[in-house]
Amino acid sequence: MSYQPGHSLLSFLEFVLIELFFQYIVAGLTYGTIYAIIGIGFNIIYNTTGIINFAQGEFVMLGGMTAVTLHAFLPLPLAIVGAVLCTMVIGGLIEIAFIRWLVKPSVLRMIIITIGVSILIREAARTVWGEGVRSLPYFTGNEVSALSFCGVRVSPQVLWSIGVCSVIVLLLNLFFKYTMLGREMRACASNREAAALCGIPTRSMVTFSFVLSAGIGALAGCVVSPITYTQYSIGTGLAIKGFTVAILGGLGNSMAAVGAGFILGILESFSIWVLPTAYKDTISISILLLMLFVRPGGLFGDKEAMRLKDF
Amino acid sequence: MKTSRHIPVFILFGVVVIVQLATAMTGKAFYLTQLTMTAYYSLIVIGLCLLMGFAGQISLGHAGFFAIGGYTSAVLTTLDLSAYKDTGPVVVLAKLGFLISRQGLYGGQVLSVHPWAACVAAVLLALGTAWAIGIPVLKLRGHYLAMATLGFGTIIYSIVLGTPRFGAADGISSVPPFPVLPGVNISGDSSIRLVNYYFAWILVLAAMVLLANLIHSRVGRALRSIHGAEDAAKAMGVDTARFKLYTFMLSAVLAAVAGVFLTHFKGGIGPSEASIMKSVRYVAIVAVGGMGSIWGTLIMSVVLNFFSLRGYFGTFDDAVFGGILILIMLFAPDGIIGADLRRMVGNLLPKQKSSHGAGTHV
């Protein structure tokens, strides 16, 4: 598909529109994968503990920032691995310090604690790294290199981010289905008391869910850093998007979050056609509010099951 | 019963006067500026206290209502309509006395909306928004409610930040003084600091009397029953949805009023007033004050806001509030002075049966 001079103006417009259309789709998919990964992070913790971790976006920020710092003296792959491990340790420590020892905390208390944690992480990041914007180098190629698919130009980094997301989803699926630890976590999610009676250390499962969730968030933060840049304050915005995705897919349903992530990403990128870019966030949050008002159980949620749940 | 309920109000008025005299005698009258701002911020916080502590509904978007009040007022009072002087609607508005002509910044005559009209418009807008948002939002509970209100706050913030008419990242400045009463001008001019200080605190006192009465009325009992067990309250015939909505609207109006006056006092408003961090800060203050104690909340609000405005926390301003949130929620979910205060003022508040009482359920 390419434009040859001599064609009519109409076909030129058509060509531009179609190309623009696909370009927006690609942009939407890129952001969609990020949102999906954050949404999955929400779900992992929600499933084992029943709480929403408001500090989820901060894990993404920490991953990106740590990787940039480590990259100063380590090759890129090692820096990313190091950043993911660091963030996992931080995630685990947060759970041990602030959540593990609380006896049956109320929802409001948990919300406020995780918000407090997110503020502390953000402020710590501001103190350590300053307010500057940073980014990792492109994994392959650079800012201008692009692969061409039928006239649509795609940055290799976009493929990286979609690829990493797919791998994460696949591995998580395998992990929860076939490993002992994954099965124990699922048991803990479906019935905590029963799981404890079967000898599963439920508290450690909760800690582990924070570790896993932090690791996934950090990996997402590293992969998108070249495209979206990383700053100490990106966490809150990403957390709201991730939560939107988690709600769209139905809270607790990780696979649906992937689909919901793509939907949100694409809707958001097309919203630029209608509204100024400054209002981009408004779109996704309006979707979140609408969803909460109309179908809090998610797009793919079961109506019958929804009726039994307490929103 | 009725007089004992109002004893704290008299004490508060006494403290307000003593503080003023103390600053005058020690030559620190400049403290009054921060104390006035503290009063306006306290207005939001006690409204939020009613919503969180009594109705048991969290709101992470109250800075949004503050911004609606402040920005509406700022936009309307800085609007220059003199170019449209002769067009129909403007003539009608001028006839009704909604417009005011004043000396502009660059000497020319500026025809803009009268601050009182702008104030009423701001409050009505906040009321309408709270009503429209409140009906669907207050059906939600727990995380869903928290996220929905957080989403509302974020929407207001991104609208304020992304709209050139609202000054984008710079906000709106050179908002004119607000002639509230003859001889009382709300502005940051240091020569009328004293009047502003007393006006702000009398506003807070009035709000406290209103809330104290409300809490001890049938409405207050209904709200506490909602907080304790919403389903049980419903079964007893309490119209829970309506009570929650009215409380939400009342707290939104208090936030908007605070926004209007603080904007005139500071002569401008910026997008940071609408930020999520501000909303979280208000929640933090309510939490420290012991949810369910308007007096405890007021005291903590004065202490924390004053320190913050004086810059005692330096660049760690946000971190301090984050840390406070965590510490309070981990170790003292009932607040640090809530319990003592309850003992001090005796029958001001009903006795809590369980130590986990207020603020721990949604």
Side-chain angles (χ1 to χ4, degrees), chain A residues 27-48:
Chain A
L29 286 181
T30 316
Y31 282 94
T33 50
I34 305 157
Y35 300 157
I37 296 175
I38 303 168
I40 292 174
F42 270 117
N43 283 334
I44 291 174
I45 293 182
Y46 178 80
N47 273 341
T48 46

Side-chain angles (χ1 to χ4, degrees), chain A residues 248-270:
Chain A
L248 270 177
L251 207 50
N253 187 348
S254 287
M255 296 310 117
V258 179
F262 289 142
I263 294 175
L264 184 72
I266 290 171
L267 276 178
E268 210 181 74
S269 79
F270 276 101

Side-chain angles (χ1 to χ4, degrees), chain A residues 48 175-177 179-192 195-196 198-202 204-206:
Chain A
T48 46
F175 170 76
F176 280 121
K177 267 206 182 110
T179 66
M180 198 60 198
L181 191 57
R183 286 177 178 174
E184 284 177 356
M185 281 177 77
R186 267 168 56 210
C188 185
S190 67
N191 189 335
R192 208 160 155 185
C198 294
I200 296 171
T202 50
S204 305
M205 291 300 122
V206 173

Side-chain angles (χ1 to χ4, degrees), chain A residues 153-232:
Chain A
R153 298 170 74 75
V154 180
S155 161
Q157 193 62 32
V158 168
L159 297 182
W160 269 108
S161 95
I162 295 176
V164 167
C165 172
S166 319
V167 171
I168 286 179
V169 171
L170 192 72
L171 287 182
L172 270 184
N173 244 337
L174 293 176
F175 170 76
F176 280 121
K177 267 206 182 110
Y178 297 111
T179 66
M180 198 60 198
L181 191 57
R183 286 177 178 174
E184 284 177 356
M185 281 177 77
R186 267 168 56 210
C188 185
S190 67
N191 189 335
R192 208 160 155 185
E193 272 86 24
L197 284 175
C198 294
I200 296 171
T202 50
R203 292 214 163 165
S204 305
M205 291 300 122
V206 173
T207 313
F208 191 73
S209 73
F210 268 78
V211 171
L212 191 61
S213 178
I216 290 173
L219 189 55
C222 296
V223 177
V224 300
S225 173
I227 313 175
T228 62
Y229 301 112
T230 317
Q231 202 191 359
Y232 81 99

